Amino acid sequence: MPSKPPAGDPVQDAPQVAAPQHAAAGLTAIAHTLRMAQEQMGVARTARTLLKVNQKDGFDCPGCAWPEGDKRHVAEFCENGAKAVAEEATVRRVTPEFFAAHPVSDLAERSGYWLGQQGRITRPVHLAEGATHYEAVSWEKAFAIIAEELGALDSPDEALFYTSGRTSNEAAFLLQLFAREFGTNNLPDCSNMCHESSGSALTETIGVGKGSVSLEDLHQADLIIVAGQNPGTNHPRMLTALEQAKASGAKIISVNPLPEAGLERFKNPQSVSGLVKGVSLTDLFLQVRIGGDQALFRLLNKLILERGGAVDETFVAAHTHGFDEFAEAARSADWDETLAATGLGRDEIEQALAMVLASERTIVCWAMGLTQHKHSVATIREVVNFLLLRGNIGRPGAGVCPVRGHSNVQGDRTMGIFERPSAAFLDALEAEFGFAPPRHHGLDVVRSIEALRDGRAKVFFAMGGNFVAATPDTDVTEAAVRRARLTVHVSTKLNRSHAVTGRRALILPTLGRTDKDVQAGGRQVVTVEDSMGMVHASRGNLAPASPHLLSEPAIVARMARAVLGPASRTPWEEFEKDYGTIRDRIARVVPGFVDFNAKIARPGGFALPHAPRDERRFPTATGKANFTAAPVEYPKLPAGRLLLQTLRSHDQYNTTIYGLDDRYRGIRGGRRVVLVHPDDARELGLADGAYADLVGEWKDGVERRAPGFRVVHYPTARGCAAAYYPETNVLVPLDSTADTSNTPASKSVIVRLEQSPSA
Ligand SMILES: Nc1nc2c(c(=O)[nH]1)N[C@H]1C(S)=C(S)[C@@H](COP(=O)(O)OP(=O)(O)OC[C@H]3O[C@@H](n4cnc5c(=O)[nH]c(N)nc54)[C@H](O)[C@@H]3O)O[C@H]1N2
Ligand SMILES: Nc1nc2c(c(=O)[nH]1)N[C@H]1C(S)=C(S)[C@@H](COP(=O)(O)OP(=O)(O)OC[C@H]3O[C@@H](n4cnc5c(=O)[nH]c(N)nc54)[C@H](O)[C@@H]3O)O[C@H]1N2
Ligand SMILES: [Mo]
């Protein structure tokens, strides 16, 4: 059976609403997976491709960053991983004829869903100044254009090099090397919008900005708190780990304004009894108000302090700093204020406390529900306080578990994709490559947009991603990007960012994870790092989507040669020929990668060192794990307003829309829905099925409006609302960001709902 042609546009957005589900995965998930995969790939290619996902000789799933266990199943993927694979391995193609038929003005009118459905891009294309259409261009000409525009800048800091988190370690290492040799640290990345708050909080408190647990630890924990995360949709393989932990007696507390089906009950598709019955996962559901987590953990900390013998005194004395100041702040936590901030009942918090005190090995997992608020860094520091109190870091079955998003977002950071690199990293780069990298800090995502808006940045280069759709304040951001002299996107598929261009624009099509990568030096592998610091090889097995594609390392290497010219002493040509030579350099620059090439030959890869986890050593400024004592914050709402979180549906991968359903939440056939508690909706005079505009309220007085959302009465926490990203990014003000990490506060948007006639 061949693949099906893409849907027409405008795509009908007509949401149908049924009751939310209470279990995730199961047989429906398998059927859904196969249908979506076959639509994109046909039957034979579906089988050939899906069997290689996450196998030791196969490719790393381009879906999420959840690790693979040591014991692999024949089908080591989940419904949503399969969708990510199908999206990339599709047999649909975007050719130069497509661009001849669709002027940029037409692409700009299309939905993101339609753009993505057109298939893989086959040729580099150029939008000349004043032109209406992209046209095919040779790779040489494309690199010459980049060299010309970068060469015309007054300072290297007028260029921005963005990275999305699918990029391999090898490509990421080359990109940061090129940017720094060119002369800038302007390396914004999707992490700035994602787990930056986790990195900021963890680096300060435990000395390493990454999680401290392995998959084995999860299996051994006796209490797992999942806060601000929806694994049933975004990290489905995590449910298997939770199931295994439960089988060994662990308890699970979930903290979330929404009852998420995946956390309620899991029907494991890998076992027959699992498929039919499933296991219930959550033992205690704390339906917290958006932004109430810091107050919750602060009060738990007070209660632990008040309970004799509950604090791990030996650990606190030997390994921590700042206890007294923290304890004083925690002791003043107030019950009434906590109940107001969290919306929880006293009995629920007491139940949670009892489970915490009964646990000897606690892990806290979190994702965007904790990282995308004004007070996110303080919230995550409070989670660290909570774990430190009972010695829950640096021993088996315990620790911090920020669950990463993109499959190699953690590795890209390890490779130096960071606008604020450490001096030690730059020293190592300088010693290895013999040039002086810039020492002043570069721009993160939000500051990059401001620089484009203010004319301080003029060339924008993106290694993957969909910058204008993923970033906040869509109208402001799109206007800012349009001011650029040149925008360049290294991409696999079409997206909104290709339609919102600078004066000139390039799309450079590249190989994806599933494609076979053959260079002059033979068949190549790349490497990735998962959410738990395991590094392993990834090897695509499909014939590339077109013979004209270049790999990401090849694109950076050729761009570097065109831009830097013979003055560069870096062996770019050699790097392109054989990625092993890149890994030899990584081994000498990045700690933990000694013998890199030898280590990736091991099936399953190797673990990077992590001082707090491995030896209870905390490489912080004080040399100890730091307790912190920030004042408690939580969002305060004016009357008649709701606090909106912008989140993912089950049928999307960030800005890539696979389909219009959100099965577990009972939504089908449309994405413009806003979930509101029935009592709040009634108070606002909004019936289920009414239509409303979402209107943002921010201190700048600018009206930000997302029109035509169907109101869905939904059991979320009171005062809260939820709607999908990226449709709602227009509502997130550019300067509404987290303290310290500068991450857009896309889970705390104050809105009012204005009833509108219809969609
Ligand atoms: N299929 C699929 N997989 C993905 C992605 C995808 O789009 N699709 N995206 C990938 C990426 S880049 C990332 S970062 C991750 C994202 O993974 P998640 O963080 O799970 O993604 P979100 O949909 O943003 O869900 C946020 C969750 O936090 C809850 N929440 C919101 N506000 C609060 C709060 O104030 N407190 C608490 N306790 N909870 C809150 C929401 O109700 C929701 O359950 O997933 C990755 N994996
Ligand atoms: N309102 C709101 N905004 C958010 C969030 C939110 O929760 N709410 N979440 C934030 C988060 S957590 C993240 S991580 C960002 C995501 O921001 P991005 O990473 O910028 O966005 P994606 O949608 O993941 O990027 C998808 C595009 O990547 C390209 N692509 C896919 N695979 C490859 C590949 O192998 N190589 C290359 N070169 N290109 C490839 C395709 O062209 C595809 O269209 O969005 C952030 N924005
Ligand atoms: Mo993310």
Side-chain angles (χ1 to χ4, degrees):
M1 190 181 78
S3 72
K4 284 211 323 205
D9 215 25
V11 175
Q12 278 297 325
D13 195 300
Q16 302 292 308
V17 179
Q21 300 188 1
H22 300 286
L27 284 169
T28 339
I30 296 182
H32 196 64
T33 305
L34 290 176
R35 183 172 55 75
M36 284 225 175
Q38 288 172 11
E39 275 181 22
Q40 296 283 347
M41 300 193 279
V43 174
R45 193 172 167 92
T46 297
R48 211 165 355 119
T49 311
L50 293 185
L51 288 177
K52 285 287 181 190
V53 184
N54 290 339
Q55 297 303 316
K56 288 177 180 166
D57 64 341
F59 56 87
D60 181 63
C61 178
C64 72
W66 190 256
E68 290 82 43
D70 231 21
K71 221 177 67 215
R72 313 251 165 131
H73 298 273
V74 180
E76 185 65 46
F77 58 88
C78 65
E79 175 190 351
N80 279 347
K83 289 186 213 160
V85 168
E87 184 79 14
E88 181 175 298
T90 178
V91 293
R92 298 175 188 157
R93 294 291 178 266
V94 170
T95 59
E97 292 72 43
F98 172 91
F99 287 108
H102 298 280
V104 178
S105 57
D106 174 42
L107 301 180
E109 294 292 308
R110 302 288 181 165
S111 67
Y113 178 44
W114 185 89
L115 290 171
Q117 290 291 305
Q118 304 311 305
R120 290 284 297 273
I121 308 166
T122 58
R123 291 254 191 182
V125 289
H126 176 219
L127 178 71
E129 188 170 353
T132 52
H133 293 69
Y134 278 102
E135 283 179 28
V137 65
S138 70
W139 282 103
E140 292 66 34
K141 178 82 197 295
F143 294 124
I145 292 168
I146 297 175
E148 181 194 326
E149 293 288 355
L150 287 178
L153 297 177
D154 292 330
S155 145
D157 287 332
E158 291 178 346
L160 305 164
F161 298 96
Y162 174 72
T163 310
S164 167
R166 269 197 201 173
T167 298
S168 65
N169 288 332
E170 289 74 8
F173 186 79
L174 289 193
L175 183 65
Q176 63 80 30
L177 177 63
F178 163 69
R180 295 191 166 114
E181 203 171 325
F182 175 67
T184 185
N185 282 313
N186 286 346
L187 288 156
D189 72 341
C190 67
S191 243
N192 298 146
M193 299 180 271
C194 184
H195 267 293
E196 198 67 63
S197 302
S198 309
S200 298
L202 293 176
T203 305
E204 184 194 338
T205 54
I206 66 167
V208 179
K210 300 180 182 181
S212 72
V213 301
S214 66
L215 208 47
E216 199 40 46
D217 289 316
L218 265 150
H219 298 156
Q220 292 176 15
D222 63 14
L223 176 65
I224 301 172
I225 301 181
V226 182
Q229 194 199 345
N230 178 21
T233 285
N234 297 312
H235 305 91
R237 286 177 300 119
M238 177 174 169
L239 300 184
T240 313
L242 295 179
E243 182 188 38
Q244 194 168 331
K246 287 225 69 161
S248 326
K251 299 269 188 249
I252 295 177
I253 300 178
S254 51
V255 186
N256 202 309
L258 294 174
E260 302 283 30
L263 286 167
E264 290 182 63
R265 199 168 189 83
F266 172 49
K267 297 186 172 174
N268 191 341
Q270 311 279 6
S271 85
V272 175
S273 71
L275 263 182
V276 181
K277 293 202 308 271
V279 287
S280 117
L281 292 179
T282 293
D283 297 281
L284 178 65
F285 172 40
L286 297 179
Q287 187 164 32
V288 73
R289 285 208 172 131
I290 291 176
D293 305 84
Q294 189 200 3
L296 171 64
F297 279 100
R298 177 62 60 88
L299 182 71
L300 286 173
N301 287 339
K302 167 194 170 96
L303 300 174
I304 294 170
L305 284 167
E306 286 172 352
R307 186 66 60 102
V311 174
D312 184 341
E313 310 276 359
T314 322
F315 174 79
V316 169
H319 296 290
T320 70
H321 175 269
F323 176 80
D324 293 338
E325 206 187 325
F326 152 73
E328 196 188 317
R331 284 200 184 94
S332 68
D334 179 70
W335 265 104
D336 289 340
E337 186 178 32
T338 309
L339 299 184
T342 59
L344 298 170
R346 196 177 172 113
D347 54 324
E348 292 174 300
I349 296 182
E350 276 166 354
Q351 273 182 58
L353 177 70
M355 290 166 75
V356 168
L357 294 176
S359 161
E360 286 167 5
R361 297 174 303 281
T362 305
I363 289 176
V364 182
C365 302
W366 71 88
M368 298 304 99
L370 292 203
T371 65
Q372 298 175 333
H373 304 283
K374 176 176 183 293
H375 59 308
S376 280
V377 175
T379 299
I380 297 163
R381 284 189 197 139
E382 200 61 34
V383 169
V384 173
N385 288 335
F386 167 80
L387 290 168
L388 291 177
L389 265 185
R390 292 180 46 80
N392 276 312
I393 288 190
R395 59 185 161 82
V400 284
C401 183
V403 182
R404 302 277 161 175
H406 269 299
S407 53
N408 197 40
V409 62
Q410 185 159 315
D412 292 345
R413 198 44 84 74
T414 308
M415 291 298 117
I417 299 290
F418 192 26
E419 74 282 356
R420 289 173 286 129
S422 69
F425 182 86
L426 295 177
D427 291 345
L429 212 57
E430 181 159 2
E432 179 64 23
F433 291 98
F435 68 90
R439 296 278 163 169
H440 58 283
H441 288 169
L443 302 173
D444 62 12
V445 161
V446 167
R447 293 190 180 97
S448 292
I449 296 166
E450 291 165 350
L452 287 162
R453 179 194 64 194
D454 301 342
R456 285 178 283 117
K458 299 182 175 122
V459 172
F460 175 84
F461 175 97
M463 181 55 89
N466 182 3
F467 191 79
V468 301
T471 49
D473 229 346
T474 312
D475 296 342
V476 174
T477 296
E478 291 198 349
V481 169
R482 287 187 199 279
R483 292 198 64 190
R485 291 219 283 245
L486 172 70
T487 49
V488 184
H489 288 94
V490 179
S491 308
T492 49
K493 311 264 313 246
L494 271 189
N495 63 46
R496 175 81 192 158
S497 298
H498 304 130
V500 179
T501 70
R503 231 162 44 187
R504 313 166 82 176
L506 288 163
I507 305 174
L508 307 181
T510 192
L511 299 178
R513 285 282 166 77
T514 52
D515 298 317
K516 197 185 279 184
D517 184 349
V518 181
Q519 302 294 340
R523 184 157 174 198
Q524 304 297 314
V525 300
V526 294
T527 60
V528 294
E529 174 184 342
D530 68 31
S531 198
M532 295 179 176
M534 292 292 300
V535 178
H536 62 88
S538 173
R539 194 181 278 104
N541 67 332
L542 295 177
S546 137
H548 304 289
L549 305 187
L550 287 183
S551 72
E552 293 180 347
I555 290 173
V556 182
R558 291 191 196 190
M559 169 168 75
R561 284 165 61 202
V563 174
L564 303 172
S568 172
R569 284 184 285 152
T570 305
W572 299 105
E573 256 177 297
E574 194 183 309
F575 287 164
E576 176 177 345
K577 248 184 243 160
D578 175 1
Y579 304 168
T581 63
I582 308 174
R583 286 186 286 273
D584 286 338
R585 302 304 188 107
I586 294 172
R588 289 205 286 271
V589 172
V590 187
F593 285 83
V594 177
D595 288 333
F596 193 5
N597 274 308
K599 282 189 194 153
I600 58 163
R602 286 185 210 157
F606 63 100
L608 290 176
H610 188 293
R613 179 194 65 205
D614 304 337
E615 31 178 331
R616 280 201 160 174
R617 191 168 57 75
F618 298 92
T620 62
T622 61
K624 305 256 172 157
N626 291 317
F627 279 103
T628 50
V632 168
E633 274 184 66
Y634 57 96
K636 303 199 178 55
L637 275 178
R641 307 299 185 265
L642 296 173
L643 195 61
L644 175 78
Q645 59 152 323
T646 62
L647 80 181
R648 291 153 175 82
S649 83
H650 194 61
D651 277 359
Q652 75 183 84
Y653 193 92
N654 298 339
T655 70
T656 299
I657 310 303
Y658 302 135
L660 300 179
D661 299 345
D662 192 6
R663 196 170 74 240
Y664 297 150
R665 298 195 185 109
I667 317 269
R668 279 175 200 274
R671 293 179 46 85
R672 293 188 86 82
V673 290
V674 56
L675 314 183
V676 184
H677 191 281
D679 295 341
D680 288 324
R682 270 179 224 116
E683 279 174 22
L684 297 170
L686 293 165
D688 185 89
Y691 275 81
D693 290 0
L694 311 183
V695 187
E697 294 194 353
W698 183 239
K699 59 189 178 199
D700 60 9
V702 172
E703 188 183 275
R704 294 177 175 81
R705 182 178 291 263
F709 281 69
R710 184 201 187 280
V711 175
V712 179
H713 287 194
Y714 199 89
T716 182
R718 289 298 306 270
C720 302
Y724 304 131
Y725 123 82
E727 288 84 347
T728 45
N729 286 41
V730 66
L731 299 171
V732 185
L734 190 58
D735 59 343
S736 171
T737 61
D739 299 334
T740 310
S741 66
N742 210 27
T743 294
S746 43
K747 295 280 189 282
S748 309
V749 188
I750 296 179
V751 292
R752 63 173 192 272
L753 270 55
E754 287 184 2
Q755 184 136 13
S756 60
S758 75

